[in-house]
């Protein structure tokens, strides 16, 4: 819970955390017995999979659920597959999880698949081996013939508060970012690279050899969607709805560093930089293999997770609270927060009092006070046509300032999910 | 992915700035006290009785409506208490008890609860109640007749009545400083201008009321009164006089700024406030009523939904040309 400023007539401001405030060097944390990997595919019991419990797995091995599946994960440690099951994520998204019982440090075996190709970098082998790297690089964008990529945007900013992963790389590893950018240029043949950094890192970022754009230190200016809207509005024709991100490939600084390092050394970096926030709000920068359960991280810092506490993956504004202390670090997890149950701000079912706090903070000028009335009444189409629901970038700021404590962000999310679920049905019927 | 413990799961965001409806209500009540306490000092026990009866009955009506409509009890948010307080501030001290109770009934039940409670009312509940009371029981709300039993050290005639009936020459004895210090007859909490201004500034700084509305309302009064004054200073009172008499200040700080019935975007707030100020002076100077604030507030409340359609284009939205 944060306190409202005494001077309420000024617009509420939330500042992003900067790297100087956190520990300079990340502390390494290792998984104790198991790691869990997520696959973006629903789990159907009885379906024939190419992975089976008991299969041995090498460190860095590509694991895919079925032979023709596009998505894969990289095993962060060698070991044996222990369990394959389903996982229901936020908004009804279905995943399959694969849990590995890992070998101890002395008996780790390495997969040599990438080693054989790393000296000839190409988009093809990047797509084949690197999509599971920390920072979750999306390499599929280069393979869409309908949308040729014209420029690459590298995010040296962290979209949510508290997280500092990308800023850490800009501040401490700008040379590695340059290597990564050069590698990306080489494999994609695209020369226009834009590096987005916070103002205070402008000087450091100059060494990356890319066009530098800076963003403000106030939330949510580093929100990827907002960055895209501003950058795109400078570059292409505005007046396209939603703003088209055609021709832009977006990577996080962490992903760029990982790609660069993979091609430089031949080893796949599988450790993720995560900001771990304990109950007393101490921040620690940690380096942890993807797939490590949050329980292990909490134990490493003697941080008890108790009944009714909240474990948050992602930041305080847009993250997801998980229901299990076994939930693993994912390739795009930048922040993990443990919130004591006594410090959880309550949400209420008050109606909107029309105080206008949300309207003042909305970064994209959505009339939230009207929108929430339509959403609470379940009139989602009108919310889109009259209150610009689709313009919302989902930063969560409106809920943060809501005087009536309405879970506005949740209503917005629900409305968007419902509408997204309706459209395919309408298309089929039409 | 089984968990040995039960975690709290909810939707983002996981932080909140800590603001709340009750916090706002209590701050408004606190600011009101700055104007009410001098009023009680001036008018004595009857004023204290009216204030407590008004707040008490407003809370009671809210509670009864909660029971009748089978909704969660909402008296804790303090909104009903604010309504009761504002109503009392506008009434003369010796108003009969049943007028207070009827007034709070109109404000809470007819002004707010039948629209679904807080946030649903299209009009300021207090302005609705005051308008109905003023039209129904004129004599009880006329400050000149109501406060006749008091011996004041100043001219005990409502300055607005004087100005309207006899022209500005009749009120030239009212110095602006005296008006500011509440040396005029008026409502329990609406005549001590200094208290209202300090309380109002506190609320504006804290962000509990929207400064845009307050300032534009005051500018609206000042500018239009100034036009009248320049046109004919022998017939129309000065702008300073209009600002410090009647319900001008309580209207600007506490009536026009009621959340639910006022706009939230910048330009609409300015138009809303200016219009309110202008209407106030128009009603006072050429209308038949002595004070125009209550009616002006009701009229701008009607305009609110229309005004609030003037808003900046959402980022990423495209105007669809027909």
């Amino acid at each position: 819970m944060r306190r409202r400023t005494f001077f309420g007539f000024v617009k509420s401001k939330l500042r992003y955390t900067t790297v100087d405030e956190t520990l300079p060097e990340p502390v390494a944390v290792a998984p104790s017995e198991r790691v869990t990997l997520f696959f973006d595919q629903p789990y159907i019991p009885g379906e024939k999979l190419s992975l089976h419990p008991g299969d041995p797995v090498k460190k860095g091995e590509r694991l895919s659920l079925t032979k023709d599946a596009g998505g894969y994960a990289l095993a962060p440690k060698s070991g044996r597959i222990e369990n394959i099951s389903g996982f229901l994520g936020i908004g009804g998204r279905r995943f399959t999880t694969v849990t590995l019982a890992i070998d101890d440090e002395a008996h780790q075996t390495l997969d040599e698949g990438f080693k054989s190709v790393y000296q000839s970098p190409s988009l093809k082998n990047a797509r084949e081996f690197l999509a599971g790297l920390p920072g979750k690089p999306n390499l599929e964008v280069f393979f869409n013939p309908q949308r040729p990529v014209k420029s690459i945007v590298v995010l040296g900013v962290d979209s949510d508060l508290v997280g500092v992963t990308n800023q850490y790389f800009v501040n401490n590893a700008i040379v590695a970012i340059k290597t990564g950018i050069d590698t990306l240029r080489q494999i994609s043949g695209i020369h226009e690279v834009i590096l987005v950094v916070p103002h205070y890192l402008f000087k450091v970022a100059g060494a990356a050899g890319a066009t530098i754009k800076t963003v403000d230190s106030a939330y949510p200016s580093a929100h990827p969607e907002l960055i895209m809207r501003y950058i795109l509005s400078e570059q292409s024709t505005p007046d396209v709805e939603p703003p088209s991100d055609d021709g832009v490939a977006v990577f996080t600084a962490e992903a760029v560093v990982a790609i660069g390092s993979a091609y430089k050394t031949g080893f796949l970096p599988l450790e993720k930089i995560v900001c771990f926030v304990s109950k007393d709000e101490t921040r620690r920068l940690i380096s942890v293999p993807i797939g490590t359960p949050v329980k292990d991280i909490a134990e490493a810092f003697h941080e008890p997770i108790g009944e009714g506490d909240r474990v948050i993956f992602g930041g305080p504004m847009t993250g997801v609270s998980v229901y299990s202390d076994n939930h693993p670090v994912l390739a795009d997890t930048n922040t993990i927060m443990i919130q004591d149950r006594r410090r959880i701000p309550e949400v209420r079912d008050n109606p909107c009092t029309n105080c206008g706090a949300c309207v003042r903070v909305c970064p994209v000028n959505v009339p939230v006070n009207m929108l929430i009335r339509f959403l609470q009444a379940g009139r989602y189409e009108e919310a889109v046509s009259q209150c610009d629901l689709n313009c919302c970038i989902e930063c969560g700021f409106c809920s943060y300032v809501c005087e009536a404590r309405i879970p506005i962000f949740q209503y917005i999310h629900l409305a968007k999910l419902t509408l997204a679920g309706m459209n395919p049905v309408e298309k089929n019927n039409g | 992915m089984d968990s040995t413990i039960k975690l709290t799961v909810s939707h983002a965001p996981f932080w909140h700035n800590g603001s709340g409806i009750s916090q706002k209500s209590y701050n408004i009540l606190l600011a009101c006290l700055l104007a009410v306490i001098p009023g009680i000092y001036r008018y004595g026990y009857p004023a204290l009785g009216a204030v407590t009866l008004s707040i008490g009955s407003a809370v009671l009506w809210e509670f009864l409506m909660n029971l009748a409509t089978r909704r969660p009890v909402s008296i804790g948010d303090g909104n009903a208490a604010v309504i009761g307080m504002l109503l009392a501030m506008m009434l003369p001290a010796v108003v009969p008890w049943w007028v207070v109770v009827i007034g709070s009934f109109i404000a809470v039940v007819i002004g707010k609860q039948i629209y679904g409670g807080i946030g649903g009312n299209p009009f300021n509940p207090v302005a609705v109640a005051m308008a109905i009371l003023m039209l129904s029981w004129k004599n009880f709300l006329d400050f000149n007749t109501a406060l006749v039993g008091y011996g004041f050290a100043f001219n005990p005639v409502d300055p607005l009545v004087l100005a309207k009936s006899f022209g500005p020459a009749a009120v030239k004895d009212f110095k602006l400083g005296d008006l500011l210090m509440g040396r005029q007859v008026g409502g329990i909490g609406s005549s001590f201008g200094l208290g209202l201004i300090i309380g109002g500034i506190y609320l504006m700084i804290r962000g509990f009321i929207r400064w845009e509305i307050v300032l534009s309302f005051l500018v609206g009064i000042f500018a239009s009164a100034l036009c009248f004054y320049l046109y004919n200073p022998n017939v129309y009172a000065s702008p300073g006089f209009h600002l410090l008499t009647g319900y001008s200040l309580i209207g600007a700080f506490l009536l026009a700024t009621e959340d639910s019935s006022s706009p939230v975007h910048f330009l609409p707030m300015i138009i809303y406030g200016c219009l309110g100020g202008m209407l106030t002076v128009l009603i006072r100077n050429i209308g038949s009523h002595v004070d125009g604030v209550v009616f002006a507030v009701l009229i701008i409340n009607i305009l609110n939904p229309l005004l609030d359609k003037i808003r900046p284009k959402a980022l990423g939205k495209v105007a669809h040309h027909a």
Side-chain angles (χ1 to χ4, degrees):
Chain A
M1 167 101 79
R2 284 287 177 280
R3 283 274 144 235
R4 182 177 184 274
T5 50
F6 182 84
F7 297 102
F9 69 99
V10 289
K11 190 175 143 181
S12 296
K13 282 255 169 89
L14 279 173
R15 299 271 166 210
Y16 281 104
T17 317
T18 55
V19 273
D20 327 334
E21 297 169 26
T22 52
L23 289 176
E25 279 311 309
V27 183
V29 175
S32 58
E33 290 165 350
R34 330 189 142 68
V35 291
T36 305
L37 299 171
F38 268 56
F39 292 83
D40 203 352
Q41 271 167 272
Y43 176 70
I44 302 152
E47 196 192 23
K48 222 169 150 17
L49 299 173
S50 46
L51 302 175
H52 309 283
D55 287 357
V57 168
K58 287 177 183 168
K59 182 177 177 180
E61 189 176 328
R62 284 181 76 223
L63 303 177
S64 48
L65 284 180
T66 49
K67 284 219 174 61
D68 47 348
Y72 60 90
L74 298 169
K77 294 279 175 191
S78 70
R80 237 161 239 290
I81 294 179
E82 194 179 66
N83 178 30
I84 302 175
S85 62
F87 178 86
L88 188 61
I90 189 167
R93 281 184 66 190
R94 291 175 178 281
F95 298 89
T96 304
T97 62
V98 173
T99 307
L100 309 178
I102 55 175
D103 302 334
D104 52 38
E105 276 309 308
H107 299 91
Q108 287 284 320
T109 48
L110 261 175
D111 186 70
E112 302 288 331
F114 182 67
K115 202 98 200 213
S116 58
V117 298
Y118 87 96
Q119 275 161 331
S120 50
S122 72
L123 278 182
K124 196 170 158 290
N125 57 38
R127 180 201 207 180
E128 204 173 325
F129 286 99
L130 304 184
L133 289 185
K136 217 176 181 180
N138 177 12
L139 294 152
E140 294 299 318
V141 286
F142 295 109
F143 293 90
N144 187 347
Q146 268 100 49
R147 292 181 36 191
V149 176
K150 290 184 211 105
S151 55
I152 296 170
V153 173
V154 179
L155 299 177
V157 290
D158 296 274
S159 64
D160 207 330
L161 302 163
V162 177
V164 289
T165 306
N166 293 319
Q167 297 174 67
Y168 166 79
F169 281 107
V170 175
N171 195 36
N172 297 36
I174 193 70
V175 181
I177 291 185
K178 184 174 167 30
T179 313
I181 287 177
D182 292 343
T183 313
L184 273 179
R185 278 192 175 128
Q186 188 194 340
I187 62 174
S188 65
I190 293 156
H191 275 269
E192 194 182 346
V193 179
I194 300 165
L195 176 61
V196 184
V197 294
H199 276 304
Y200 76 102
L201 290 173
F202 180 73
K203 278 187 183 155
V204 189
T211 315
I212 310 292
K213 300 249 173 186
T214 57
V215 295
D216 194 41
S217 64
Y219 189 79
S221 35
H223 195 285
E225 193 125 346
L226 214 52
I227 291 174
M228 294 304 285
R229 284 186 198 181
Y230 279 116
I231 290 181
L232 291 170
S233 66
E234 279 171 26
Q235 290 194 326
S236 63
T237 47
D239 289 12
V240 188
E241 188 185 7
S244 142
D245 52 357
D246 273 10
V248 180
V250 183
F251 292 93
T252 59
E254 184 176 37
V256 169
V257 168
I259 292 172
S261 144
Y263 278 120
K264 201 173 168 189
T265 60
F267 294 104
L268 295 170
L270 294 163
E271 264 87 43
K272 178 91 191 64
I273 301 287
V274 177
C275 185
F276 179 72
V277 185
S278 43
K279 285 182 192 172
D280 55 1
E281 301 204 348
T282 350
R283 285 191 294 262
R284 291 184 185 90
L285 211 52
I286 59 173
S287 162
V288 59
I290 293 168
T292 308
V294 61
K295 197 166 63 176
D296 289 354
I297 302 172
E299 265 166 30
F301 296 108
H302 310 291
E303 179 75 19
I305 302 178
E307 200 84 359
D309 289 348
R310 199 153 61 177
V311 177
I312 300 152
F313 275 60
M317 301 299 275
T318 58
V320 173
S321 60
V322 300
Y323 57 75
S324 164
D325 57 349
N326 275 315
H327 199 285
V329 172
L330 306 179
D332 55 354
T333 304
N334 284 354
T335 312
I336 296 176
M337 293 172 65
I338 316 284
Q339 212 172 26
D340 193 280
R341 68 188 157 82
R342 281 160 300 195
R343 301 184 68 168
I344 296 177
E346 63 177 322
V347 165
R348 298 198 195 132
D349 59 349
N350 284 325
C352 169
T353 64
N354 207 41
C355 72
C358 46
V359 173
R360 279 190 288 279
V361 298
C362 181
V364 290
N365 298 331
V366 170
V368 191
N369 64 325
M370 293 311 292
L371 175 70
I372 189 63
R373 288 174 162 80
F374 283 117
L375 296 183
Q376 283 185 322
R379 286 155 68 174
Y380 298 152
E381 276 104 343
E382 282 148 297
V384 174
S385 61
Q386 294 179 31
C387 296
D388 309 329
L389 174 66
N390 286 342
C391 292
C392 172
I393 60 164
E394 307 192 5
C395 67
F397 213 168
C398 47
S399 301
Y400 173 82
V401 297
C402 182
E403 197 178 271
R405 305 281 176 104
I406 304 170
I408 307 173
F409 189 10
Q410 187 169 7
Y411 274 112
I412 291 176
H413 205 164
L414 182 66
K416 284 189 171 179
L417 277 172
T418 312
L419 288 171
M422 278 161 64
N423 286 342
V425 177
E426 279 177 9
K427 264 180 204 157
N428 288 344
N429 292 344
Chain B
M1 290 288 289
D2 296 332
S3 184
T4 46
I5 46 171
K6 280 200 192 84
L7 298 174
T8 302
V9 177
S10 53
H11 199 278
F14 305 105
W15 282 353
H16 193 274
N17 71 356
S19 61
I21 302 174
S22 45
Q23 187 198 9
K24 173 184 254 177
S25 298
Y26 297 142
N27 273 285
I28 293 178
L29 288 175
L30 206 66
C32 289
L33 285 182
L34 288 178
V36 168
I37 290 172
I40 293 173
Y41 176 74
R42 170 148 290 146
Y43 300 113
Y45 288 116
L48 182 66
V51 172
T52 46
L53 179 64
S54 179
I55 296 177
S57 58
V59 173
L60 188 68
W61 289 125
E62 172 109 344
F63 180 66
L64 291 177
M65 277 307 278
N66 288 153
L67 292 186
T69 54
R70 295 185 191 164
R71 290 163 66 105
V73 175
S74 59
I75 53 176
D77 65 23
N79 186 259
V82 169
I83 291 176
M85 176 70 106
L86 290 179
L87 181 69
M89 285 168 78
M90 299 176 73
L91 294 172
V94 291
V95 67
W97 66 269
W98 53 268
V99 174
V100 178
V101 175
I102 290 175
S104 64
F105 172 83
I106 297 170
V108 171
V109 178
I110 296 172
K112 175 181 145 191
Q113 282 291 343
I114 58 169
Y115 297 105
I118 188 167
N121 48 299
F123 300 104
N124 184 329
V126 183
V128 172
M130 277 309 291
I132 294 178
L133 291 182
M134 279 162 76
L135 297 176
S136 310
W137 292 284
K138 220 173 182 173
N139 291 341
F140 292 121
L141 294 187
D142 182 351
F143 297 120
N144 294 328
T145 45
L147 301 173
V148 81
Y150 285 92
F152 293 118
F154 48 82
N155 188 350
V157 184
D158 185 354
L160 276 177
V161 176
L162 274 182
K164 195 169 182 85
S165 317
F166 306 104
V171 293
K172 67 176 186 305
D173 291 340
F174 286 100
K175 299 278 174 291
L176 287 186
D178 289 345
L179 291 174
L180 187 68
M181 296 310 293
R183 282 191 272 277
Q184 58 172 322
V185 292
I188 296 168
S190 55
S191 50
F192 184 61
L194 188 66
L196 283 169
I197 292 172
I198 294 174
I201 289 174
Y202 167 76
L203 292 177
M204 286 200 288
I205 289 176
R206 291 296 310 272
F208 293 122
I209 59 176
R210 296 184 278 248
W211 61 267
E212 297 93 334
I213 296 176
V214 177
L215 290 190
S216 54
F217 197 97
L218 294 176
V219 166
I221 292 183
F222 189 88
S224 39
L226 186 68
C227 291
F228 276 103
Y229 183 68
L230 292 177
Y231 173 68
N232 192 347
N234 297 323
V235 179
Y236 302 112
S238 69
F241 175 83
H242 276 292
L243 277 181
L244 296 173
T245 49
Y247 295 141
S248 295
L249 290 173
I250 192 173
F253 284 109
L254 296 162
L255 294 185
T257 53
E258 199 264 337
D259 279 333
S260 161
S261 51
S262 59
V264 294
H265 296 283
F266 181 74
L267 193 60
M269 284 196 279
I270 301 292
I271 300 174
Y272 171 91
C274 285
L275 269 178
M278 278 166 55
L279 283 168
T280 300
V281 175
L282 283 178
I283 297 172
R284 280 182 185 179
N285 280 352
I286 41 184
S288 61
H289 296 280
V290 174
D291 196 351
V293 172
V294 169
F295 301 107
V297 167
L298 289 176
I299 292 170
I300 52 176
N301 285 167
I302 303 179
L303 291 174
N304 160 39
L306 200 61
L307 285 176
D308 230 6
K309 292 216 181 279
I310 309 172
R311 59 181 177 86
K313 198 179 97 174
L315 188 65
K317 185 185 165 69
V318 176
H320 291 289
H321 304 291

